[in-house]
Amino acid sequence: MGSEHRREHRFLYGELPSNPGQAFFDLGALAELAHAHGLPLIVDSTVATPALLRPLQHGADVVVQSVTKTLTSSGFGIAGAVIARKDLAAAPVRTR
């Protein structure tokens, strides 16, 4: 990302572990890279669940999870979660 970073980039996003490949990346290193460029790191932690992986403790700023996949695998419910290090409603929005 170092040489590919542009002003229009708003965040860095990663899915950990990825689905369906179950690939991993160094969460702490990616958080450092994102923060060095002034970008928040958003992590999708659906497969590992945020309770197990704890992305916020490794530098993520926002964690998303499809709760439907972990709590209601039968498909009878739809739910999602957004967990943030800071209050998202009060956070300033970066503009060009």
Side-chain angles (χ1 to χ4, degrees), residues 37-77:
H37 289 282
L39 300 171
L41 175 60
I42 302 173
V43 174
D44 182 336
S45 185
T46 295
V47 174
T49 80
L52 295 174
L53 185 62
R54 301 200 177 276
L56 294 177
Q57 291 183 350
H58 297 284
D61 298 292
V62 177
V63 179
V64 295
Q65 178 192 20
S66 172
V67 180
T68 301
K69 292 178 182 173
T70 55
L71 296 180
T72 64
S73 61
S74 61
F76 288 117

